[in-house]
Amino acid sequence: MANIRTLSFDAIVIGGGGAGMRAALQLTESGLDTACVTKVFPTRSHTVSAQGGITCAIASDDPNDDWRWHMYDTVKGSDYIGDQDAIEYMCSVGPQAVFELEHMGLPFSRTEQGRIYQRPFGGQSKDFGKGGQAARTCAAADRTGHALLHTLYQANLKGGTTFFNEWYATDLVKNSEGAIVGVIAICMETGETVYLKAKATVMATGGAGRIYQSTTNAHINTGDGVAMALRAGFPMQDMEMWQFHPTGIYGAGTLVTEGCRGEGGYLINKDGERFMERYAPNAKDLAGRDVVARSMILEILEGRGCGPEGDHVLLKLDHLGEETLNKRLPGILELSRTFAHVDPVKEPIPVVPTCHYMMGGIPTNVGGQAIKQNADGEDVIIDGLYACGEAACVSVHGANRLGGNSLLDLVVFGRAVGLQVKKSLDEGFESLSADDTDIEKAMARLNRLNNSTDGENVAEVRAELQKVMQLYFGVFRDGASMQEGLKQLAVIRTRVENLSLDDKSQAFNTARIEALELENLLEIAEATAIPAEFRKESRGAHARNDFTERDDENWLKHSLFHPTDKTVTKRDVNFKPKTMEAFPPKIRSY
Amino acid sequence: MLVSIYRYNPEVDDAPYMQDYQIDLPEGKDLMVLDVLNLLKAQDTTISYRRSCREGVCGSDGMNMSGKNGLACITPVSEAAKNDKLVLRPLPGLPVVRDLVIDMGQFYKQYEKIRPFLINDTPAPAIERLQSPEEREKLDGLYECILCACCSTACPSFWWNPDKFVGPSGLLQAYRFLADSRDTATQERLSDLDDPFSVFRCHGIMNCVNVCPKGLNPTKAIGSIRTMLLQRAT
């Protein structure tokens, strides 16, 4: 064995956010020897920043609510490239998963009947789009992510989960048969590098919003798991699909929940006009996020933006009254006062579309098993590798995620992956042990960095990467500028390959972690840029000036980016839900 | 501006020391302390600190800024700097791992001690357990804790007995479960706390209230626990 310590488990979960902790809980409770490996203490994970809620047909606000209506909204929201079997699973299992959270102690806000409070969110309807706006997002004030993450951590403490807190996974270990048999990880406190061996490795590493300059995402959102899978040679799905949240605080990027608009807030331009009435006459400010974000950018481009630079719009909340704001949106009041120097009780908040969510990721089936394709273009399960949450593309969000669906995705598929791993291991799944060569291969990247003498500066190259992504792969895209962006990314790749680590110390060396994270950001940026140029249509969050229409004949497909030769192919979208007819593609209007 | 940072790397330093950095801050923009640290780290990559959400909800970057505990990401430089000087130290009272990174093991242990999870032995219903808005309101000001440790590391009683006194953060969470209408372990929870140290080492100094970045009031929660303990005794 290579010269490092090995620790063995049945299953390891990489990531201690909502998806990772839900998976770890399921695995631990099912009696498997499980480790949850997380680069920050679990409650510091980015799930903590989710505000508005978790969308689910629990029939509290409307006793007649139906998960099929939620499914319809999600399929439509995805612009029809969400997999309908996965969406069906999420929406139908959802209520059970939400009630489980409540039983664990999640402090949801309540209705007079004592049930969970639900608020309206964008893209929600009753009766398959025919019954008007629904209120389906279960909320704990505007701190639902915080409440959910802490509750899951608490449940894991109760359940006795083994945590590796502040351990940073660097690369997957792949055996001679191509199966995944664990990861290499660094204990940040001591600097020790260890091989964590497992029969099942679950990637729950979240998103990578830090590829953009302006993002609602935490500093830690560097797509580590997706990048590890790319380096292991596995394909990524729909990576061109990035959600820009309509309301990031102008200048700071911090998120202002869609729940603001759900509670009755609305966007205005410099003339004080509620402009969404023009773009989405029915749903107005509660249209899909992609629709609202584009409308905002158009307002700005056409000279109706606010402020001295005319480069943002305003979110008006003061008409809701101080009492409602204090009760329903206390966190937003805090954030606005801190980061926008604005008191929403009195004045509107300056906002601008801001990178928020990665719809793409590691392709998986409903059980979270990672998928690649064989030479004939057929799906093949990757032994030992699983994914859930934002790192995965199962795909329930397709080309555009609906607000409140990410928290549901986390708990439903975190749970599902736990069930699937248990099933596979019970059926006797085994894989060959890794040999020295396999482990050395997985350590190559870390070794190069640790031996670097001089080269590029991490902060500079990272800033350059974020600038390129912001400029060429933002809300609106076109072929020529994406070509230019790709050229610049190629230059950045040569710089990243030459990163230097000046500080070689062991104890809590965050310089080492930041260098490794930057390498991951580059993998994600490239896996985003190439399929973005490849998809020659506009769908969901992918809006091209040179191909402005959706093209179902050619592009009602997932994209699949293959890292080994940097090509893109198409993969079929699932139109076979188990219990009902599929929703056929329709023109998407709000 | 002058930024003075507590430095300690156990591999090379025999003792901690303060290192001074000069930095030109952009005009007309009031940066947060975390922004300043990020700018400094771009120059000197060896400075270590924790950070994640950068919006005051994850609790990673608790530190002592010119003498007061708080979160670096939501503390404006204008507020933290004194006489154009910003002094950054790790949260006091717990061992330092490196620079501004402290070993929070003792703090987490106290949190775990209060059994921070809902206990309800009755079978769960098919839907959620019902709770009235009034009952739920009792959790406001309690459940929002982000475990940043600013309060407990500002508390002299916690400095003195970090192994025996649960501390303001842990006690706030203890009361969060005592106050939850859905929790059925009230008596066991009170028994766990009923000793001279766990709760009664609080002397009402109120440093915790003064520094809590979320505006929570652990002293009040501790008072409520005391009342419950005393009522039970009589």
Side-chain angles (χ1 to χ4, degrees):
Chain A
M1 191 58 64
N3 194 23
I4 60 168
R5 194 152 65 100
T6 301
L7 297 170
S8 298
F9 299 91
D10 293 326
I12 52 174
V13 179
I14 314 297
M21 284 208 286
R22 188 62 189 82
L25 181 65
Q26 195 67 39
L27 290 162
T28 301
E29 284 183 342
S30 68
L32 294 176
D33 186 12
T34 306
C36 182
V37 182
T38 165
K39 67 177 174 177
V40 291
F41 182 78
T43 64
R44 326 281 182 217
S45 307
H46 189 54
T47 302
V48 83
S49 292
Q51 298 171 350
I54 176 166
T55 302
C56 188
I58 60 160
S60 163
D61 181 78
D62 172 4
N64 298 315
D65 200 9
D66 190 319
W67 66 263
R68 292 167 195 87
W69 301 348
H70 180 199
M71 177 177 170
Y72 167 84
D73 292 342
T74 304
V75 170
K76 176 183 171 185
S78 80
D79 223 347
Y80 298 96
I81 60 163
D83 288 317
Q84 297 204 13
D85 59 339
I87 298 174
E88 175 191 40
Y89 181 79
M90 177 175 81
C91 296
S92 61
V93 173
Q96 194 186 340
V98 169
F99 294 141
E100 281 168 4
L101 287 172
E102 196 283 332
H103 298 155
M104 290 175 209
L106 202 156
F108 281 111
S109 301
R110 299 288 170 156
T111 65
E112 286 304 324
Q113 289 71 41
R115 295 209 59 194
I116 294 172
Y117 169 73
Q118 295 182 294
R119 60 162 55 109
F121 247 52
Q124 289 179 359
S125 76
K126 297 183 183 186
D127 197 16
F128 309 105
K130 298 186 292 261
Q133 176 74 40
R136 195 174 288 129
T137 301
C138 310
D142 57 356
R143 305 188 177 100
T144 316
H146 168 275
L148 185 150
L149 191 67
H150 280 253
T151 301
L152 279 175
Y153 181 60
Q154 293 161 353
N156 274 283
L157 283 180
K158 190 178 184 182
T161 301
T162 304
F163 281 101
F164 284 67
N165 293 334
E166 297 185 325
W167 280 58
Y168 184 72
T170 61
D171 271 299
L172 290 165
V173 177
K174 192 161 137 181
N175 71 12
S176 53
E177 293 176 324
I180 295 305
V181 287
V183 294
I184 301 297
I186 305 171
C187 168
M188 290 170 66
E189 185 174 336
T190 63
E192 187 191 9
T193 304
V194 173
Y195 168 37
L196 299 174
K197 180 181 169 180
K199 293 177 208 167
T201 301
V202 181
M203 286 298 175
T205 48
R210 286 279 153 180
I211 63 171
Y212 288 96
Q213 208 168 30
S214 170
T215 174
T216 64
N217 284 196
H219 285 290
I220 58 170
N221 285 25
T222 53
D224 301 333
V226 171
M228 282 186 249
L230 281 164
R231 273 192 300 273
F234 300 130
M236 285 308 132
Q237 182 168 280
D238 295 338
M239 288 293 290
E240 67 277 27
M241 299 301 179
W242 279 86
Q243 178 163 84
F244 286 77
H245 195 290
T247 54
I249 292 182
Y250 170 70
T254 42
L255 173 69
V256 174
T257 176
E258 187 168 303
C260 290
R261 285 170 281 137
E263 297 287 348
Y266 55 85
L267 297 162
I268 53 176
N269 60 21
K270 74 167 183 188
D271 305 321
E273 183 203 7
R274 184 175 183 180
F275 59 85
M276 279 312 299
E277 289 178 332
R278 271 189 277 120
Y279 296 94
N282 297 312
K284 299 182 181 125
D285 295 81
L286 289 177
R289 285 181 177 172
D290 55 333
V291 175
V292 179
R294 276 193 295 276
S295 309
M296 291 167 71
I297 298 283
L298 287 173
E299 286 298 297
I300 292 166
L301 290 175
E302 289 168 10
R304 291 186 294 276
C306 305
E309 309 287 327
D311 56 356
H312 59 273
V313 299
L314 297 171
L315 173 62
K316 186 172 148 59
L317 294 176
D318 56 304
H319 58 286
L320 300 179
E322 189 163 4
E323 199 190 321
T324 303
L325 292 175
N326 277 327
K327 191 166 157 201
R328 299 291 181 211
L329 302 165
I332 293 308
L333 299 183
E334 237 180 87
L335 282 171
S336 304
R337 287 164 187 157
T338 307
F339 288 103
H341 307 295
V342 150
D343 184 355
V345 174
K346 299 186 192 119
E347 40 192 347
I349 312 169
V351 290
V352 71
T354 304
C355 167
H356 183 57
Y357 189 86
M358 175 176 84
M359 267 80 72
I362 301 170
T364 72
N365 61 21
V366 172
Q369 293 175 296
I371 286 168
K372 61 181 179 180
Q373 289 196 321
N374 63 19
D376 300 325
E378 295 159 341
D379 287 354
V380 182
I381 285 167
I382 301 168
D383 281 339
L385 184 64
Y386 297 76
C388 56
E390 192 170 343
C393 183
V394 52
S395 145
V396 286
H397 310 304
N400 171 64
R401 174 172 72 75
L402 290 188
N405 267 355
S406 63
L407 292 185
L408 188 64
D409 173 4
L410 301 184
V411 290
V412 167
F413 291 103
R415 186 175 175 276
V417 91
L419 294 169
Q420 179 62 49
V421 169
K422 171 73 176 158
K423 183 165 172 270
S424 297
L425 297 196
D426 281 353
E427 284 166 2
F429 172 83
E430 284 289 343
S431 46
L432 274 185
S433 284
D435 60 27
D436 279 4
T437 329
D438 302 329
I439 291 173
E440 272 155 28
K441 229 186 210 170
M443 289 191 59
R445 179 170 78 108
L446 183 59
N447 288 338
R448 188 209 70 80
L449 192 68
N450 284 339
N451 294 320
S452 63
T453 46
D454 86 301
E456 295 278 353
N457 172 291
V458 170
E460 278 171 29
V461 181
R462 184 174 56 209
E464 184 65 24
L465 171 78
Q466 291 166 337
K467 202 172 86 187
V468 167
M469 291 308 290
Q470 192 77 29
L471 201 57
Y472 300 109
F473 301 94
V475 174
F476 285 104
R477 301 161 171 184
D478 74 60
S481 76
M482 284 194 284
Q483 292 287 357
E484 176 57 29
L486 281 166
K487 265 188 227 157
Q488 296 193 21
L489 280 179
V491 175
I492 293 173
R493 176 169 281 280
T494 62
R495 297 182 66 187
V496 167
E497 282 168 358
N498 191 31
L499 284 180
S500 83
L501 179 66
D502 301 332
D503 178 5
K504 305 285 201 299
S505 62
Q506 296 297 309
F508 222 95
N509 183 343
T510 53
R512 178 179 287 120
I513 304 297
E514 286 189 21
L516 293 165
E517 287 175 334
L518 173 56
E519 293 181 338
N520 291 340
L521 288 175
L522 172 73
E523 299 295 345
I524 311 281
E526 200 179 72
T528 296
I530 294 172
E533 196 276 334
F534 177 78
R535 185 182 284 274
K536 294 186 176 52
E537 63 157 353
S538 288
R539 179 185 301 273
H542 182 64
R544 291 184 62 144
N545 295 327
D546 48 352
F547 297 93
T548 55
E549 299 299 315
R550 191 175 88 189
D551 174 2
D552 285 345
E553 204 174 309
N554 295 301
W555 295 99
L556 190 63
K557 298 277 181 189
H558 295 297
S559 72
L560 215 52
F561 170 72
H562 305 275
T564 35
D565 55 5
K566 298 191 183 181
T567 55
V568 188
T569 56
K570 298 176 186 176
R571 177 170 175 249
D572 287 342
V573 174
N574 180 290
F575 281 95
K576 287 183 184 154
K578 289 205 167 72
T579 62
M580 59 200 295
E581 293 280 301
F583 295 107
K586 285 198 301 194
I587 291 172
R588 185 167 162 257
S589 64
Y590 284 101
Chain B
M1 194 178 64
L2 183 69
V3 187
S4 186
I5 302 180
Y6 179 102
R7 301 301 311 269
Y8 175 66
N9 179 346
E11 289 161 58
V12 290
D13 301 323
D14 293 332
Y17 61 98
M18 298 302 290
Q19 184 169 359
D20 289 348
Y21 297 86
Q22 272 296 338
I23 183 166
D24 296 324
L25 297 179
E27 296 269 332
K29 207 180 166 201
D30 193 11
L31 296 184
M32 298 296 171
V33 172
L34 180 64
D35 299 325
V36 173
L37 270 171
N38 290 341
L39 288 171
L40 288 173
K41 188 166 175 74
Q43 294 168 24
D44 178 356
T45 61
T46 66
I47 308 170
S48 285
Y49 51 95
R50 295 186 173 106
R51 86 281 181 275
S52 175
C53 76
R54 62 81 165 89
E55 58 189 27
V57 294
C58 79
S60 295
D61 60 352
M63 58 185 71
N64 185 277
M65 296 167 283
S66 302
K68 189 176 174 187
N69 291 356
L71 299 178
C73 60
I74 53 168
T75 304
V77 174
S78 60
E79 197 181 301
K82 285 176 186 155
N83 302 323
D84 216 29
K85 184 177 176 184
L86 178 64
V87 183
L88 303 179
R89 293 173 181 271
L91 290 175
L94 290 174
V96 173
V97 174
R98 171 173 173 168
D99 300 341
L100 302 172
V101 177
I102 55 164
D103 177 352
M104 295 177 74
Q106 193 68 257
F107 172 80
Y108 294 137
K109 209 181 252 175
Q110 292 298 354
Y111 175 66
E112 288 170 28
K113 201 153 94 183
I114 62 100
R115 294 197 283 165
F117 37 78
L118 193 81
I119 300 174
N120 187 321
D121 301 328
T122 62
I127 59 166
E128 69 270 45
R129 292 183 199 278
L130 300 183
Q131 185 174 49
S132 72
E134 295 71 31
E135 288 167 332
R136 168 59 183 75
E137 213 175 292
K138 295 193 173 123
L139 308 184
D140 285 339
L142 305 172
Y143 83 94
E144 301 93 325
C145 174
I146 58 173
L147 301 178
C148 64
C150 286
C151 62
S152 292
T153 62
C155 172
S157 299
F158 187 75
W159 296 337
W160 205 243
N161 294 112
D163 54 336
K164 295 192 201 127
F165 174 49
V166 171
S169 170
L171 289 171
L172 186 82
Q173 289 312 295
Y175 188 61
R176 177 248 173 277
F177 290 98
L178 285 167
D180 196 322
S181 61
R182 301 169 295 172
D183 193 275
T184 57
T186 307
Q187 291 311 317
E188 294 90 319
R189 290 182 187 281
L190 289 173
S191 298
D192 288 350
L193 295 169
D194 200 357
D195 62 67
F197 280 92
S198 297
V199 178
F200 289 101
R201 281 285 130 169
C202 169
H203 298 306
I205 301 165
M206 293 182 77
N207 281 1
C208 52
V209 183
N210 195 25
V211 298
C212 177
K214 305 309 286 182
L216 309 178
N217 190 333
T219 306
K220 192 173 156 208
I222 294 169
S224 303
I225 300 176
R226 278 176 196 258
T227 308
M228 290 177 92
L229 284 167
L230 293 171
Q231 274 171 355
R232 199 171 76 131
T234 54

